[in-house]
Amino acid sequence: MTNIIFLTRTLCFIAALLIVGCSAEERHLPISSDNGKPAPVSNASATAIPGGAILSYRIPDTDDLLAVKAVYTVGNGKQREVMASYFIDTLTVEGFTDTGQHEAMLYTVSRSQQLSEPVTVSFTPLESPLSKIKKTVRIFPDFGGATFKWKNEDRALFVFDLLVEDANGYMVSTKVFQNKVDSMEYTVRGYEPTPKKFALNITDRWGNESGLIYPDGGSLTPVREDRLDKSAMRFMHLNGDSGFNIWGGMDIFMIDDDLNTFGHSTPYDWPPYITIDLGRKAKLSRIVINQRMFQNMYYNGANWSIFDVYCCNTDNRPSQSVEMSEWNYIMNCKIEKPSGMALNECTNEDLRQARAGDSFAFPREMPPVRYVRICVTQTWGFFNYSFNSEVSFYGSYAD
């Protein structure tokens, strides 16, 4: 009986609480009360930087301040805004391409999103990164196409659009990429030695464009580039050269134009060298390396990762004993995996590049040569032997 009385009283108490709760008026209060317009910044000044300015100011002593905002208009007529926390007393305005006088309006912003009266700051930007880089662009003839070269001293981020004239006379993109390295050289190839227009358009991260930049004269004629005849090539087997003739491989398979065959060096014979007689003296434009497809994958195993290239500096056959005074070090070549993924993973882009081959350009000033020597210094799997499918040379014969 006592339990029944206790339960009845409990239920009545709960019912009373519900009645009181339902009759109470709900009130939704703002997170921050609206105290009207906040006080503006004071002591505003500007320090010019390339393509903009750093605005400095004093924060007002306002309890509900949230941020400071700058509103300004760049040369293309677009209005931009940047904001900074009230803990910071500077803002950077950027995106200008000229060195004329500009203004920015500074506002304080309260927690209830009220803006203060504006404070105007005038400034004159220094020369913009886009203006600077435009002045450094050079486009000149190269083997099978043209080379684009520029300097980016501010290391600003740009999008580079390389264009070539098509059969109908229209300028079409052949390569688009972005970077912020301080200097760049890029060659587009695959064109006949006939006059053709090449151009470069540069876009900064605010959407400002350089407009098409052409070579001097508007067009240029690519230098003739041929794939050198492999039937005329042979391996020389100088002292210290490695045999690539084990485990199903043969050195001659590396110049047989068959991507299903390969050369394989002897374990522990490290680093492996090969010496190739091109058959005739040639002005070399580039060397192309095709990896071996190993375990259904490229960029793995004993495929070449890094190698050095030497060329003989004499017209005579190099010494069998390999006198280093007869050889000039030309370049270090590092094969890069486009995706950067692990050894056992390849993207479609990785596969496309590996099938096409990794290309390395010879210095343009290098004289014609007949004998080339390669030293493999690292493989993808860090093995003490190496294998490779194909080695090809491009350029033009000197005789």
Side-chain angles (χ1 to χ4, degrees):
M1 185 66 176
T2 303
N3 290 339
I4 295 174
I5 294 173
F6 175 78
L7 180 60
T8 302
R9 289 176 178 175
T10 302
L11 292 174
C12 290
F13 177 72
I14 293 174
L17 288 177
L18 291 174
I19 292 171
V20 171
C22 291
S23 62
E25 180 182 352
E26 291 188 10
R27 301 180 64 193
H28 298 280
L29 298 176
I31 296 175
S32 176
S33 59
D34 185 359
N35 295 323
K37 288 186 176 183
V41 299
S42 59
N43 295 349
S45 62
T47 302
I49 61 174
I54 298 174
L55 308 182
S56 303
Y57 44 82
R58 178 176 292 175
I59 302 292
D61 186 12
T62 303
D63 290 338
D64 68 341
L65 196 66
L66 176 66
V68 176
K69 177 169 69 172
V71 180
Y72 60 101
T73 302
V74 293
N76 58 14
K78 293 183 178 179
Q79 190 177 82
R80 301 187 182 280
E81 296 183 3
V82 289
M83 294 185 70
S85 163
Y86 68 93
F87 291 110
I88 302 173
D89 60 1
T90 60
L91 271 171
T92 301
V93 293
E94 298 176 281
F96 297 92
T97 58
D98 64 349
T99 53
Q101 190 175 56
H102 294 272
E103 293 182 344
M105 311 297 285
L106 285 173
Y107 300 87
T108 57
V109 185
S110 70
R111 295 184 183 278
S112 57
Q113 301 300 307
Q114 290 286 332
L115 299 182
S116 71
E117 291 296 329
V119 173
T120 303
V121 186
S122 298
F123 56 90
T124 301
L126 302 179
E127 185 177 13
S128 71
L130 181 60
S131 175
K132 291 180 186 178
I133 197 172
K134 282 173 59 177
K135 296 176 181 178
T136 70
V137 174
R138 299 291 181 270
I139 307 173
F140 48 88
D142 211 327
F143 283 97
T147 292
F148 297 72
K149 188 175 183 179
W150 58 81
K151 291 183 178 180
N152 180 12
E153 64 178 63
D154 293 300
R155 298 183 68 88
L157 182 64
F158 291 107
V159 174
F160 300 94
D161 186 3
L162 285 59
L163 302 100
V164 182
E165 182 183 18
D166 69 7
N168 298 314
Y170 295 106
M171 300 302 294
V172 296
S173 296
T174 183
K175 181 71 176 181
V176 180
F177 58 90
Q178 69 175 19
N179 65 44
K180 54 180 180 180
V181 298
D182 57 3
S183 62
M184 184 75 183
E185 187 170 311
Y186 193 92
T187 303
V188 294
R189 304 185 190 275
Y191 301 97
E192 295 297 321
T194 57
K196 185 179 291 292
K197 290 181 180 178
F198 294 82
L200 174 66
N201 186 53
I202 307 171
T203 306
D204 67 16
R205 61 192 180 97
W206 297 278
N208 300 309
E209 297 187 24
S210 66
L212 294 185
I213 304 170
Y214 291 92
D216 294 339
S219 63
L220 54 79
T221 302
V223 179
R224 181 180 180 85
E225 182 185 56
D226 296 314
R227 190 167 183 270
L228 300 191
D229 180 12
K230 291 188 178 182
S231 67
M233 300 179 190
R234 65 184 182 89
F235 284 83
M236 299 189 68
H237 303 119
L238 303 181
N239 294 352
D241 283 3
S242 307
F244 274 69
N245 301 300
I246 66 168
W247 295 345
M250 293 186 67
D251 52 16
I252 59 172
F253 287 164
M254 291 190 286
I255 52 173
D256 68 351
D257 278 336
D258 185 349
L259 296 182
N260 295 312
T261 61
F262 59 91
H264 196 303
S265 73
T266 304
Y268 301 105
D269 184 8
W270 191 265
Y273 284 85
I274 58 173
T275 306
I276 299 176
D277 177 0
L278 301 178
R280 296 165 58 188
K281 185 180 287 190
K283 173 69 175 174
L284 296 177
S285 61
R286 55 194 172 113
I287 181 174
V288 177
I289 303 300
N290 289 97
Q291 303 173 50
R292 177 191 178 190
M293 171 68 86
F294 180 67
Q295 296 179 342
N296 295 317
M297 201 73 61
Y298 294 111
Y299 305 99
N300 68 346
N303 273 308
W304 301 358
S305 173
I306 303 176
F307 60 94
D308 293 327
V309 178
Y310 301 81
C311 288
C312 187
N313 59 19
T314 175
D315 290 338
N316 300 321
R317 185 187 189 281
S319 303
Q320 183 67 31
S321 60
V322 188
E323 300 294 332
M324 291 311 297
S325 61
E326 298 177 347
W327 294 91
N328 290 332
Y329 170 79
I330 303 301
M331 58 184 175
N332 175 259
C333 304
K334 183 177 181 180
I335 296 176
E336 300 281 0
K337 188 176 185 179
S339 70
M341 298 179 74
L343 295 184
N344 60 346
E345 298 179 84
C346 278
T347 65
N348 288 334
E349 184 182 3
D350 294 336
L351 296 175
R352 281 194 297 270
Q353 176 164 307
R355 292 180 186 122
D358 292 279
S359 180
F360 302 91
F362 284 96
R364 278 183 291 275
E365 66 277 9
M366 193 178 81
V369 297
R370 175 168 173 171
Y371 307 100
V372 179
R373 188 168 168 84
I374 298 172
C375 174
V376 181
T377 59
Q378 184 175 301
T379 66
W380 282 92
F382 299 97
F383 293 171
N384 58 15
Y385 57 87
S386 72
F387 49 63
N388 185 64
S389 178
E390 204 70 25
V391 180
S392 305
F393 295 92
Y394 288 78
S396 57
Y397 288 111
D399 50 8

